Amino acid sequence: DIQMTQSPSSVSASVGDRVTITCRASQSISSRLAWYQQKPGKAPKFLISAASSFQGGVPSRFSGSGSGTDFTLTISSLQPEDFATYYCQQANSFPLTFGGGTKVEIK
Amino acid sequence: EVQLVESGGGLIQPGGSLRLSCAASGFTVSSNYMSWVRQAPGKGLECVSVIYGGGSTYYADSVKGRFTISRDNSKNTLFLQMNSLRPEDTAMYYCARTLSSGWLFFDSWGQGTLVSVSS
């Protein structure tokens, strides 16, 4: 199985801050990685894929990058509605696996 | 507008069975890959089953032989039959539309249905 490791597990930030979340795969997954946002009590929401080739209608402040084993999700200017938990997911092979999540909290 | 509405969850004793449903609108279930993803309380996400547009299926090892994914094209509905339920199956179960092979991302999600397995 491909293990997905996210860091940090939580981050405290202020509105307007630039936030970067990283996800590392235990083996190469090409660019087959997606990012999701989940707010408390809600279903996850598809944000963006690694190379931003697939997007879930999210604001342009969200961007994804990376290939191989190392990936990043960047929020260029954090907004109040962005406080949530973010998950990465690899789609290179079964079982499809998710990272453990990164909680973005208000500073 | 794409919409997915799950139902069928509840409290069930270990060893029991439940059938989850996911009614879709705004797109055709049979023309898409569809998945069930679960989330145990306070935990992360786990994809438990996928059904391809052509009908092929995938199951996570944790549910293989106990869960069955299927669909009713006439009702545009996805199902998950869950047998021999265990306490570790307790979770919120989400159905999700899934992008095509090679890009198995979950681009639309339902609100979820809660399954609790306990005596």
Side-chain angles (χ1 to χ4, degrees):
Chain A
D1 297 5
I2 298 175
Q3 309 302 318
M4 305 301 294
T5 303
Q6 285 183 238
S7 61
S9 56
S10 66
V11 57
S12 294
S14 301
V15 172
D17 284 353
R18 181 182 183 89
V19 174
T20 298
I21 299 168
T22 65
C23 182
R24 175 165 289 177
S26 60
Q27 64 189 73
S28 177
I29 59 170
S30 183
S31 59
R32 289 179 168 82
L33 181 118
W35 292 96
Y36 302 87
Q37 176 193 66
Q38 187 176 35
K39 296 181 178 179
K42 300 294 186 182
K45 174 186 175 183
F46 174 65
L47 285 179
I48 199 165
S49 62
S52 300
S53 52
F54 298 96
Q55 297 194 34
V58 295
S60 58
R61 62 181 180 272
F62 289 91
S63 63
S65 64
S67 65
T69 60
D70 295 311
F71 302 86
T72 60
L73 173 70
T74 299
I75 310 171
S76 60
S77 178
L78 198 66
Q79 297 302 301
E81 60 268 30
D82 301 336
F83 291 96
T85 299
Y86 294 83
Y87 293 94
C88 61
Q89 175 241 329
Q90 67 83 15
N92 188 73
S93 62
F94 286 114
L96 306 177
T97 46
F98 293 83
T102 296
K103 188 173 184 179
V104 177
E105 300 175 298
I106 301 172
K107 190 172 185 179
Chain B
E1 179 191 6
V2 171
Q3 191 170 14
L4 296 163
V5 179
E6 300 96 333
S7 60
L11 176 63
I12 188 78
Q13 291 188 337
S17 297
L18 278 178
R19 188 194 197 202
L20 306 184
S21 300
C22 172
S25 59
F27 73 101
T28 302
V29 165
S30 62
S31 300
N32 284 267
Y33 290 42
M34 296 292 297
S35 303
W36 288 96
V37 178
R38 69 184 180 184
Q39 186 171 34
K43 302 296 184 182
L45 299 161
E46 179 189 16
C47 176
V48 297
S49 187
V50 179
I51 185 165
Y52 288 37
S56 299
T57 57
Y58 157 81
Y59 298 96
D61 286 347
S62 57
V63 306
K64 197 174 295 182
R66 300 186 299 123
F67 289 12
T68 302
I69 191 171
S70 63
R71 63 194 181 203
D72 184 329
N73 297 341
S74 67
K75 295 181 179 178
N76 210 33
T77 299
L78 180 73
F79 301 101
L80 186 67
Q81 177 67 42
M82 304 188 296
N83 299 331
S84 303
L85 282 161
R86 305 167 179 169
E88 55 265 35
D89 294 319
T90 294
M92 184 70 79
Y93 284 74
Y94 298 101
C95 71
R97 190 177 69 173
T98 307
L99 294 181
S100 61
S101 181
W103 304 101
L104 292 172
F105 305 143
F106 311 107
D107 74 331
S108 296
W109 298 64
Q111 86 288 350
T113 187
L114 183 62
V115 173
S116 295
V117 185
S118 175
S119 54

